[in-house]
Amino acid sequence: MAERAGVRIDGNTLRLGDGVVVRFVRTLRLPERGTHPLPPGLGEFPLRRVADHADRVPEAWRARGGVLLPMYLREAMWIGFAGTTEPAALQVGVGKVCAVSGKPWQGTLARDPQNYVTLPRQPWLDGINSGKGTVRQFVAVPLGLGATVEGQVTGEETWGGVQLQAYGLRPEALARWREAERARSGPLAGGYGAPAAFAAPAPGGPPPAGAAPRQSAAMGLGAGGSMRQEVYRDERPASDWSDTPAGRVFVHLVTPPEWRRITGEEPPPSPVDRAAYTRAGLPWFEHYDDEADDLSPAGPLEPVRPVGDWLGDDLDPWQEPTPGQVVPLKDAPGKPVADGDW
């Protein structure tokens, strides 16, 4: 198993290469009918290195390396890139199905169809690119039901989790970009990705000594409700991007009980009730960038069915936010993460 210097974990943040910042953010799960504004950030998911718990994870996880995070059944997440400092092309896989193109995972960048998001222009990604100007929310489901995006697109559920691979600019393209940046003023825009204040749970006691590892309750991502979000087309020449990835990482999703068993820590509290959130008058969001072009929906992802078709009706009540609640937006090294074979 190789140790890639280009991928590091810093608290709850993944750093790929010299500038790509990735955080996994808890959020409100959307209803599976209708199209909705962007939900809020409710704190970051904790991340832990697989290598630090090698004696308590399945052999396949040790081989893949990476990190793990806990999710509740039908909990939703979005992936934030705020803090990314320089241009990058980031591939995002869900069970090794590209969340942008719907094609099987590739170890190289592709343009037709585009199989990556461009940073820092893409401030976050909330789901799969399955509609025109919309995405379907990332929602956690167990492997084995066929409810994951992986299961519906490939007919199998082998990988689960999330896969990330980042590419930087070639040296000459990066030099041109830096020169252009020096002629501009103003910081890079952040995003609605600044999560609400979140107190990490205090670690629990260590797992019982000598307990043998067992097969974890692995999870993958299915499709939830639809929201208004564009996945931006890359406007750079393909030749600007490096042929060599700056780093890649496999993110394993585990149930809260397995998180407790593997790490000895308490998982985050159960997700916030969305009706209570809306009744409290807290904000939802809209984002629009009139200088960017939206990618077409990915053909393999358009027919993906929501997780409710497998798990039953959504019992969490929905309360439509008032217009005043929808807020318009825009117009340090840590330990290295071990990569492996996947």
Side-chain angles (χ1 to χ4, degrees):
M1 184 166 58
E3 193 87 11
R4 287 180 182 257
V7 182
R8 304 184 74 82
I9 184 172
D10 185 3
N12 295 332
T13 298
L14 281 175
R15 300 184 183 275
L16 285 74
D18 293 330
V20 175
V21 174
V22 178
R23 298 181 182 90
F24 298 89
V25 183
R26 307 184 79 197
T27 190
L28 300 174
R29 189 177 74 253
L30 297 174
E32 293 172 1
R33 294 183 180 180
T35 300
H36 307 280
L38 300 172
L42 298 176
E44 299 165 1
F45 286 96
L47 294 172
R48 299 293 181 267
R49 299 192 314 161
V50 168
D52 291 336
H53 305 282
D55 60 337
R56 301 189 176 279
V57 299
E59 182 179 352
W61 289 29
R62 294 197 296 273
R64 295 170 190 168
V67 299
L68 56 109
L69 67 81
M71 291 190 78
Y72 289 84
L73 177 66
R74 292 181 85 157
E75 185 173 11
M77 74 153 57
W78 51 265
I79 306 174
F81 314 121
T84 296
T85 57
E86 296 184 332
L90 181 68
Q91 294 177 292
V92 181
V94 286
K96 293 189 73 172
V97 171
C98 178
V100 177
S101 70
K103 300 293 186 181
W105 178 267
Q106 292 179 256
T108 57
L109 300 179
R111 295 292 280 265
D112 189 19
Q114 183 175 313
N115 68 349
Y116 57 93
V117 294
T118 56
L119 309 182
R121 163 149 275 174
Q122 190 81 42
W124 50 75
L125 186 67
D126 284 66
I128 59 172
N129 177 33
S130 58
K132 183 60 178 174
T134 64
V135 300
R136 293 195 73 96
Q137 192 173 38
F138 293 133
V139 176
V141 288
L143 301 185
L145 299 178
T148 62
V149 174
E150 175 187 3
Q152 294 187 60
V153 172
T154 70
E156 298 179 346
E157 292 184 323
T158 303
W159 300 98
V162 177
Q163 298 77 41
L164 302 173
Q165 183 163 259
Y167 290 79
L169 292 174
R170 294 180 186 273
E172 57 274 19
L174 181 58
R176 290 195 303 270
W177 178 84
R178 286 175 174 171
E179 181 63 30
E181 283 299 294
R182 280 192 287 269
R184 293 160 53 113
S185 60
L188 292 174
Y192 86 106
F198 176 70
R214 62 183 180 189
Q215 183 63 43
S216 289
M219 303 183 79
L221 292 178
S226 177
M227 73 190 78
R228 292 180 286 276
Q229 183 176 108
E230 295 179 331
V231 181
Y232 297 133
R233 187 180 306 279
D234 186 7
E235 298 174 351
R236 293 183 177 277
S239 59
D240 276 7
W241 297 113
S242 173
D243 292 329
T244 304
R248 69 170 196 165
V249 63
F250 197 112
V251 182
H252 304 267
L253 310 180
V254 301
T255 62
E258 284 296 278
W259 173 267
R260 185 182 295 110
R261 183 189 67 80
I262 292 169
T263 68
E265 301 176 29
E266 286 301 309
S270 59
V272 172
D273 177 88
R274 66 187 180 217
Y277 179 94
T278 302
R279 284 196 304 270
L282 298 171
W284 295 72
F285 301 90
E286 293 277 12
H287 181 272
Y288 177 67
D289 186 340
D290 60 4
E291 297 179 352
D293 292 328
D294 182 34
L295 289 176
S296 299
L301 299 178
E302 286 188 90
V304 169
R305 294 154 55 198
V307 298
D309 287 4
W310 280 263
L311 302 179
D313 291 338
D314 186 355
L315 301 179
D316 193 0
W318 169 243
Q319 180 172 330
E320 192 75 30
T322 65
Q325 283 182 267
V326 180
V327 178
L329 298 171
K330 193 185 180 333
D331 214 340
K335 293 182 178 179
V337 175
D339 185 25
D341 299 325
W342 47 272

